[in-house]
Structure formats: structure tokens, C-alpha cells
Amino acid sequence: MLDEAETGRSGPQGLFSALAEPQLARFPQRLAADPWREGAIFAAVLIGLSLVLTLAQSRALTNGAIVDLLPTEAIFALLIGAALFPLRYLWIAVATYAVAFLLAVSMRIGMDPAYLPPGVSTGWAVTFGLVLNALPALAAGLFGRWLMTTVQARGLPGRAGREDMLLLVGTVLAYIVLAGAMLPLVVASLYDPGWTTPLGAGSDLTEAGLFRAVRIGLCAMALMLLLLDRPDRKNLTVALAIQPAFVALGLLRIEGFAVHPTLDVVMLALAVALMAPAYAAVVANVMGVVVYVVITGEFLVQIPITSVDVLRLELASVILMMLVCLLLLLRYRTILERRQSGETIGRLQRVQELATVGYFVLDLRNNQVRVDEVAAGILGTGLKFDLAQFIRRVHPEDGAAIVAAISDLTLGQRTLSFQLSPGPVWAGEAAARFISVHGWFEERAGAVAYAYGVLIDLTSDHRREVALGDALAELSDHQNRQTEIFSIVSHELRTPASVISMLVEELDAGASWDEMGPRMRAVSEQLLSVLADMRQTVRPEENLPVRIETVRPSEIAETVRNTFLLMADTKGVEIGLDLSPLAWMPRMTDRVRLVQAISNLVKNAILHSECGRIIISYVEEEGPVGFWRVMDDGLGVPEAARATLFEPFRRGDGLRTARTDGSGLGLYVTKSSIELLGGTVAYVPDPSGGSIFELRVPMTVPAEAEAPAAPAAAEKKPGQRGRILMAEDSELIGELLVARLNRLFEEVVWVKNGADALAAYTVIQPDVVLTDLFMPEMGGDDLTSTLRERGADCLIIGMTAAAIGDERTRFEEAGTDLVLTKPVSTKQLLEVLDRLEARARARAG
């Protein structure tokens, strides 16, 4: 039920509307709670009403079975019951209708032997009248019920009284339509044209039945309106006070002083609906119409329509009767809205008693504040106080905000929060309360302005929020680190793993170990370095133990330089060495950690510093202590970033560093590794520009030395497949793919990003484009779609490390001919090229 709150209305009125029940639903609830008692009352009232109306109308000259049963007043019980009763108690309404119908017909037959047309059997007339009157009434009531529940389930704005209006109007309109549609069929098929009607010659039974159906349907609406509530003494008193007017109208009609028998009583009912209290008007009109019918025997009995003027008066009376019913319904809906507003205010008052919410009114002429008891308790004031004195207790910045807010009335509302000291003046935050104020400004005549609103004590919430915020910040930081670690592991392991696979394939294809061995060693060390970075960051307590071995500092420097020569060349960076003679002497240290630390510094300089030259220097201090320096002539490290320079997951700022490789762990791991060896690492800004990282690592002198081996160069053989343009930002993967593609193509052009590939394509017009997905400046999918838009019809092959999923879909949607999974083997390339070229030849043929 709570999902039925009004969305068209703001505030508690809309929210608490979900607690409101349709007024007509109260009768079914009473019936379900005590079906025998409420059912007996309903049956007695409706049967009694039917008999009273039957007895009163028996005196009408134009009444008889032909018109009286077309339709009958007994359907009140069935129409109301089908619309309102719980379905399991619908039999009460059906039984009430049957008893009322049979008693009314029996009474008329007993009182008037000529009630039925000549030759018509009583059983035939009673059976057909009972069934034919029941069908439209039952269907209309069920339709009204269905209409209300369906619209209610979909959300009906403005709950108060609208369910009732929908049910009543839907039921009555459905009855008028269904009964009106049945009348021509019943008259044509069951009525004998030779019957003499009480309406006189030339009368139209269908027309008479339709007028009667409309009046009976509208009277049923009035009866259902009566069920919206139970009249109290005040309503009954007003209704009884109005009855003499209906009695006088009936007597005037008998004496012949009337304009029209149906129009006169409707006009009186309209006056009552306009002037009397809403529910009292319903009671008065229902009672008054019954009194009028008892006195005159008319209103529900159709009179002969002898002229166009009479027809117009009949139509006017029906239309006015509809207006009376709608007016009564609308007026009662207003009463329901007021009642619901009162209930809402009561609920708010009960809620306020349990919450630290108070109300205030500020007179801006004299800055006097009035508050209720709850607000006075929150603020520690009386029910009235001076604003200027109160502001002395407020935090100075908050007090200035309050003064600024009340001096500007251009905005209609304000929301402020302030800290309030318990003493007469502000005394610090130790015992301060945290108050939130939501206020509105209102201007009256004569430039009188007021502010009013609510204030809420948020002290306990604020303190809990601070504690929770600290806990959430710590948890969020931990979670962010975990997320970054998983993302970085995926990215960092992909490149060395792919390169190792490609190197193995090169060896299988006949490449010499002299050519591939140094590369295999470099990438293996890179992989081990990445794994060590991750382990050292995620689980520092499970780091690999320090392994001291014999090394030469010159070998370490050469290894680092050779590892990054290709990467430095592509960036236009020169890597130089400045080594003291002692660098060629054997020393004892952890080679893996030292190479890892220096490599991280060199890699960071290449990727982030925008330098032109990097120098790796080594000297020894007493101890011996190896003193390493990695210097560059780049941008340097901003002073604001130096405090967190060696913290994990610091990858610089801006798009440039976000697009470069790196885990954000390099400097952190460098510092951790060197400290694990008993050394220190520090950053020193270069006054001439650039950065200097200084490492001091304790060394020991070994008993014997080792000599390093030099790598041999490999021979390159060109292929026979035209030109290929390759876009790959990974240095190692690019280098290996170039070596592999040189055996398959006459010319291989390698660029590092999509933008360069787009520019190169226009110049070289390649036969094949081989592109990675994730690259700086332009990804492989954007490169492919741009080339296709420009009319490129060459073979385009995408490369991705994902075997399935979004990366492959992006390539395929962009227009690649095929997507390969890294690492890309020579055999895989040959098969793909043969297949794509065969497809191209088939298209050309």
C-alpha cells in the first residue's frame, strides 16, 4: 500500500496519503468484519426502500409493468453490492435484489390486477424482469470495481476521494450505457406491439426506459455517496431541517403548482447541494427525494412526452440531476482532503514529539525569534529570544552566514547549519551542538518580512557521521588499493608474458640464442620485477628473503641501460653512464632488488619526466657503500607532490601520466627494496632543472668475481607480402613483432599510437594494418573506424589480450577483418593472412 503515496503532492500530505483508505472501502471492511449484522442492515434498508418506492409509485397513472420493469428500482441493491461488496459476500447483494424485486412485483400485482398486460403470464414476466434487470446492474458494478482497482494499482495521483469518485462515476456510467444498449433489444424482442402502454398512444418505450435508467443510476450514485460515511447528529439535524422544503414542494405538486414534476425536485436538490454542508446535503437530498416520491408518486415514474418542450424539460432534469450528483461528490472530496490534512498534522505532531525537530518564526523587523517547546529545548533558550544575543553563542563563521542569509530576501528559502555553544558566548567545539535550519522567507503587506521553518538537532548524527566517515575513508582507501592492484596485475603481467611467448616462438622458428637470449633475460627480469613489486606492496610480510650474490655495479648499470634503450629511443631519450673505476669491481648485494630499484627510477624518468638525457652514476663511499644516482634533465617533481612521492599507487597527475605504462608502485618499491638492503633513497631537485634520485646501498667485497657476457646481433630477412603498418605501444611486443613481420613482409612500419598510425597510413598506403586496442591518443577501435570512414579497404587485423568479451566486440563493431588474441604467433599470422587474402581474391573474382 505504501507505494500508492501521491506523487503529485509534496511533503507529508503526499507521503501520508498512502495511509488513507478509500471512504467506500470502509463499508466492505465493516461487512467483512461482521457480515451477518452489516448484511442484514443492508438488506433491510434496500428492501424497505424498494417497497416504499413501489407503494408510492403505484398511484401514478403512467405506471405499469410495461414501464415499471424497464428498469426497476430494485436494482439498487445489486448495483451497489456488485461495486462495493467483497466478492465472497456478493451473494448478499444478489439475494437482497431478488427479494426486493419479487416483493415489489407481487405487491403491484396484488394491488392492481391490470398491472401486467393481457395474456402475459406472471411467471414469464417475473422471470424475464428479474434476469434482464440484473444483467446490466451486475456488469456495471463489477466494471466500476475493476476500473478503480486497475487505476489504483498503476498509481492514482491525489488519493483523497478520487478512488471513490472513480468507482461511483464508472459504475453509474457503465450502468446507463449497458441498460441503454439493452433497452432496444428487450423492447423489440419481448414486448408485444399490441400492448397498450400507460404512457399513451405514440409513446416510445425505449425513450422512456432510457430516462428511467438514467434516474435510477443517478439515484444509486446518491445512495453510494450516503455509504461514504455515517451521519452524525449534526448532519442529521441539518438534513431534517431541510425536509420541510421537499414536503412543501410535493404538496405544491399535488395542488398543481409546479413547472415540471422531475425538474422541480432536481432544482431543489441542486440548491441543497450548493448551500448545505457536504455530507449533510447528501443525506438531505436522499431523504428529500424519497419524501417527494412518497407524496407525489412521481420522479422515478416516466411521464408521457407529449411535445418537444416536455422532452427538453426531461433532458434538463436529467442533466441537472447529474450535476447535483457530481457536485455532491466533489464537495465531499473536499471534506476528505481537509480530513486527510488534519490527520497529517496529527501524525506530524506525534512524530515531532519523538524527534529532535523544532519550529521557529523570526520577525525580521526587530530580530525577535519565537520557537516551540521542542526547539527551545534544543537551543537552550526560552520560547522567545533576541537573535543578536543568540548569535554570540554561534561559531563566528556560522554566525556570519546567518546574518548574510537573513539580509538577502531574494531567495525564498535557506538551508543553514551551525555550531552552537551551550554557554552565553562561543567557547569552542568541545561541547558544541550541531544544528541544521531549513527556513523560508515570506513578505507581508507593508514590507513586513518573516522567516519561519524547522531546526533539527544533528549533534549525535554528526558525531556518528565523523566516526563513520573515518572508518569509510579507511575502508575505501583499502578497497581502492585492492581494485588498483587487480587492475595493475592484469595490465603489468600481460606484456612480459606475451613477450616471453613470442621469444619462445622465435627460438622455435630458428632464431639464435645469441640474439634472443639477452631479450629473454631482460623480459624475465621485468616479469620478476613486476611480481616482486606486487608482492612487496600487497603482502610485505611475505617478501622473498634477501639473496646476497656477487655482482659488478657496472653490470647492473649496463643491464638497466640495455633494458630500456629501445624505450628511450622511441622517446628521444639518451641513457648515459657515469661510473667510477670501482664499478667494475665485484661486490656483494641483492642483485634482483638493486636492478629492480634502479630500473624503476629509469623507467619513471623515460615515461614521466619529458627529459632528453638520463645519467646513471655510481661511486663508492666508505663502508663500502654504493652511492647510486639516477639523474634526468626533465620537468622535475612538483613541490606539492614530493611529500607523497614514495607512497604506493602514485602515478602522477593529468592525462599524460594516466596514459603511460606503470603500476604506480615503482618509487614505493624502490624505497622498500633499498631500505630492505639497509640503504636509503632520497629525491633531490636539480637546480638546473630535472630530478636526481640518490640511493645508498651497503656493499661487501666478495672473494671472487664474475664476468658478464655480451649479446650478439641477429640478421633480418625480408618477406614477400607487401607493406604492413603496425600500431603497438608496448616496446617489447613491438620489437618482437617487427622482427617477426620482417620475415613476412617487404616493409614493416611501426608506430606507437593510433594517431601516428592514421597519419602514416596516408603516406605509405599499407596492404595490411595490424593494431593493438589500448594505445595513447587513439585506440585501435577508433583507428579502425576512422580508416573505414575514409575509404580504407586494406586488411585490418586487431590484437587484444582478451579472448572473449567487450574488447573483441569493440574491434568487430569498428570494422576489423579479424581479431587476434595475444601473444600473436607467426603461424597464426600466416593462417590469418592466407585466409583474408583468399577472401579478397574471391570477392575480386
Side-chain angles (χ1 to χ4, degrees):
M1 176 180 172
L2 291 178
D3 60 354
E4 297 174 1
E6 293 178 17
T7 56
R9 208 181 270 185
S10 61
Q13 188 73 11
L15 177 63
F16 291 149
S17 68
L19 303 178
E21 288 286 346
Q23 293 297 105
L24 284 173
R26 297 184 180 183
F27 177 74
Q29 288 175 358
R30 294 198 303 266
L31 185 66
D34 193 352
W36 294 109
R37 178 178 178 276
E38 296 294 332
I41 294 174
F42 176 82
V45 171
L46 269 296
I47 291 173
L49 178 62
S50 178
L51 294 178
V52 168
L53 294 176
T54 299
L55 183 62
Q57 294 174 114
S58 63
R59 296 181 285 106
L61 299 178
T62 57
N63 202 2
I66 296 177
V67 179
D68 197 23
L69 302 181
L70 193 69
T72 176
E73 301 87 349
I75 61 98
F76 289 152
L78 189 55
L79 190 62
I80 296 172
L84 300 182
F85 279 34
L87 293 179
R88 65 181 180 276
Y89 297 122
L90 186 56
W91 64 270
I92 297 177
V94 174
T96 301
Y97 159 71
V99 171
F101 181 86
L102 293 174
L103 289 177
V105 173
S106 299
M107 179 185 295
R108 289 303 307 272
I109 294 175
M111 296 172 60
D112 183 5
Y115 180 68
L116 295 175
V120 176
S121 67
T122 303
W124 181 90
V126 171
T127 302
F128 279 95
L130 182 68
V131 174
L132 294 177
N133 276 281
L135 292 177
L138 183 62
L142 295 176
F143 171 79
R145 175 200 299 269
W146 170 85
L147 180 63
M148 183 190 73
T149 55
T150 300
V151 176
Q152 191 179 42
R154 295 180 181 178
L156 183 66
R159 286 176 50 84
R162 293 209 175 182
E163 294 94 337
D164 306 323
M165 180 181 293
L166 194 65
L167 175 63
L168 293 178
V169 174
T171 299
V172 172
L173 288 180
Y175 175 75
I176 293 172
V177 170
L178 292 175
M182 284 184 61
L183 281 169
L185 300 177
V186 172
V187 171
S189 59
L190 298 179
Y191 279 46
D192 188 341
W195 289 345
T196 301
T197 67
L199 298 175
S203 59
D204 189 337
L205 287 177
T206 302
E207 181 183 79
L210 184 58
F211 277 114
R212 185 171 171 82
V214 171
R215 289 196 184 93
I216 288 177
L218 294 174
C219 287
M221 178 186 286
L223 291 175
M224 284 191 280
L225 275 171
L226 194 62
L227 291 175
L228 284 172
D229 213 334
R230 286 188 174 179
D232 54 18
R233 178 176 298 179
K234 178 181 178 181
N235 289 326
L236 284 176
T237 301
V238 173
L240 291 174
I242 295 172
Q243 294 313 300
F246 286 94
V247 173
L249 185 66
L251 295 176
L252 289 174
R253 170 60 184 166
I254 292 176
E255 296 298 325
F257 297 100
V259 176
H260 190 74
T262 55
L263 184 61
D264 294 343
V265 69
V266 172
M267 293 292 292
L268 178 57
L270 178 61
V272 172
L274 289 171
M275 293 184 291
Y279 188 69
V282 175
V283 179
N285 279 332
V286 170
M287 295 174 60
V289 169
V290 172
V291 168
Y292 182 83
V293 172
V294 168
I295 294 174
T296 64
E298 296 177 334
F299 183 70
L300 293 178
V301 177
Q302 182 59 38
I303 65 173
I305 300 178
T306 57
S307 66
V308 175
D309 291 336
V310 174
L311 178 61
R312 289 173 180 170
L313 291 173
E314 282 290 283
L315 289 173
S317 67
V318 168
I319 293 172
L320 285 178
M321 191 175 179
M322 291 180 181
L323 292 177
V324 169
C325 291
L326 290 177
L327 178 62
L328 291 173
L329 186 56
L330 290 172
R331 291 195 62 198
Y332 191 74
R333 184 188 166 212
T334 303
I335 298 298
L336 292 182
E337 288 180 341
R338 292 177 183 173
R339 183 181 300 173
Q340 183 176 321
S341 297
E343 292 173 352
T344 298
I345 293 173
R347 292 185 181 106
L348 284 174
Q349 291 174 342
R350 288 191 291 273
V351 170
Q352 184 194 1
E353 292 173 359
L354 301 176
T356 53
V357 179
Y359 297 93
F360 73 89
V361 175
L362 168 61
D363 188 340
L364 294 175
R365 294 174 302 177
N366 50 25
N367 286 334
Q368 293 296 308
V369 184
R370 291 184 178 273
V371 295
D372 65 350
E373 291 81 0
V374 177
I378 295 173
L379 302 176
T381 64
L383 296 180
K384 182 179 179 180
F385 56 88
D386 182 73
L387 181 63
Q389 294 181 351
F390 177 79
I391 290 181
R392 296 175 187 172
R393 300 172 50 197
V394 177
H395 187 287
E397 294 182 1
D398 298 338
I402 294 175
V403 173
I406 62 176
S407 62
D408 181 10
L409 305 183
T410 57
L411 293 178
Q413 64 182 50
R414 297 286 194 285
T415 297
L416 296 173
S417 297
F418 60 87
Q419 300 179 59
L420 180 68
S421 177
V425 295
W426 173 252
E429 299 181 5
R433 304 187 72 84
F434 293 82
I435 312 296
S436 178
V437 175
H438 305 273
W440 290 262
F441 290 113
E442 183 176 313
E443 290 191 70
R444 300 286 183 87
V448 177
Y450 293 90
Y452 62 92
V454 297
L455 54 90
I456 307 170
D457 186 358
L458 300 178
T459 304
S460 349
D461 294 338
H462 177 79
R463 290 169 183 166
R464 283 194 298 267
E465 182 180 354
V466 170
L468 180 60
D470 294 340
L472 287 177
E474 183 178 353
L475 179 62
S476 177
D477 184 63
H478 179 68
Q479 185 176 6
N480 289 338
R481 289 193 177 194
Q482 286 186 331
T483 303
E484 283 193 81
I485 287 171
F486 286 122
S487 176
I488 291 167
V489 167
S490 169
H491 181 271
E492 292 294 308
L493 295 184
R494 179 185 302 174
T495 298
S498 300
V499 173
I500 289 174
S501 176
M502 296 166 70
L503 287 170
V504 171
E505 186 177 345
E506 290 294 312
L507 290 172
D508 292 340
S512 66
W513 177 255
D514 290 340
E515 179 186 359
M516 295 294 116
R519 295 175 180 177
M520 180 73 79
R521 178 183 179 88
V523 74
S524 299
E525 289 182 349
Q526 181 184 354
L527 178 59
L528 292 173
S529 173
V530 170
L531 292 174
D533 283 358
M534 299 304 167
R535 184 189 304 108
Q536 191 165 331
T537 304
V538 179
R539 301 295 294 272
E541 70 278 3
E542 295 182 5
N543 279 338
L544 293 175
V546 174
R547 180 184 176 188
I548 303 298
E549 57 183 314
T550 301
V551 299
R552 283 181 170 82
S554 61
E555 176 191 331
I556 291 176
E558 289 284 353
T559 299
V560 173
R561 183 179 68 171
N562 292 338
T563 300
F564 293 101
L565 274 178
L566 289 175
M567 181 186 295
D569 287 343
T570 61
K571 296 284 187 178
V573 179
E574 178 187 353
I575 301 178
L577 301 179
D578 181 13
L579 308 176
S580 74
L582 293 176
W584 276 266
M585 300 298 293
R587 295 290 182 260
M588 299 290 291
T589 187
D590 188 325
R591 181 182 186 280
V592 173
R593 282 191 167 83
L594 189 53
V595 170
Q596 179 186 31
I598 300 174
S599 295
N600 286 339
L601 296 176
V602 173
K603 184 179 179 181
N604 276 351
I606 295 172
L607 294 177
H608 303 307
S609 70
E610 298 185 9
C611 63
R613 181 176 177 80
I614 299 172
I615 301 295
I616 304 173
S617 73
Y618 177 81
V619 296
E620 282 191 6
E621 299 176 344
E622 290 187 8
V625 174
F627 180 44
W628 295 86
R629 303 180 83 194
V630 177
M631 302 171 285
D632 67 70
D633 58 357
L635 300 176
V637 178
E639 186 175 354
R642 295 172 189 172
T644 60
L645 191 59
F646 294 99
E647 293 184 7
F649 306 112
R650 299 291 177 176
R651 302 186 64 190
D653 54 358
L655 184 61
R656 174 178 59 83
T657 53
R659 288 185 179 273
T660 55
D661 288 338
S663 61
L665 301 174
L667 294 179
Y668 169 76
V669 171
T670 294
K671 184 174 184 293
S672 301
S673 298
I674 296 303
E675 289 178 348
L676 196 61
L677 298 177
T680 62
V681 59
Y683 169 77
V684 179
D686 190 341
S688 61
S691 300
I692 302 174
F693 286 90
E694 297 179 345
L695 288 72
R696 286 179 167 82
V697 184
M699 301 283 202
T700 56
V701 180
E704 57 185 9
E706 298 178 354
E715 185 178 356
K716 180 178 71 173
K717 297 180 181 180
Q720 301 295 326
R721 292 180 181 266
R723 295 188 188 91
I724 182 169
L725 172 61
M726 182 184 73
E728 171 59 60
D729 62 331
S730 171
E731 303 290 342
L732 291 172
I733 291 181
E735 180 184 356
L736 289 169
L737 279 174
V738 167
R740 186 169 302 171
L741 294 171
N742 276 332
R743 294 196 294 270
L744 301 175
F745 290 85
E746 294 176 1
E747 182 180 354
V748 178
V749 178
W750 174 26
V751 295
K752 308 301 190 301
N753 59 66
D756 290 344
L758 194 60
Y761 179 88
T762 306
V763 177
I764 68 174
Q765 293 295 312
D767 302 288
V768 179
V769 174
L770 181 65
T771 176
D772 190 14
L773 180 59
F774 296 108
M775 296 183 295
E777 298 186 30
M778 177 183 284
D781 53 344
D782 292 333
L783 170 63
T784 301
S785 61
T786 304
L787 287 174
R788 293 304 190 201
E789 289 172 0
R790 294 184 179 182
D793 59 351
C794 64
L795 301 176
I796 302 180
I797 304 172
M799 297 184 296
T800 176
I804 58 174
D806 182 65
E807 294 183 13
R808 297 183 66 87
T809 303
R810 287 169 59 180
F811 260 136
E812 291 165 357
E813 292 176 351
T816 55
D817 295 285
L818 198 68
V819 182
L820 300 182
T821 302
K822 290 183 179 180
V824 178
S825 65
T826 302
K827 180 180 179 182
Q828 190 179 14
L829 277 171
L830 286 171
E831 291 176 352
V832 169
L833 290 171
D834 290 339
R835 191 189 328 162
L836 293 177
E837 289 171 358
R839 185 194 306 172
R841 287 193 298 270
R843 290 176 182 171

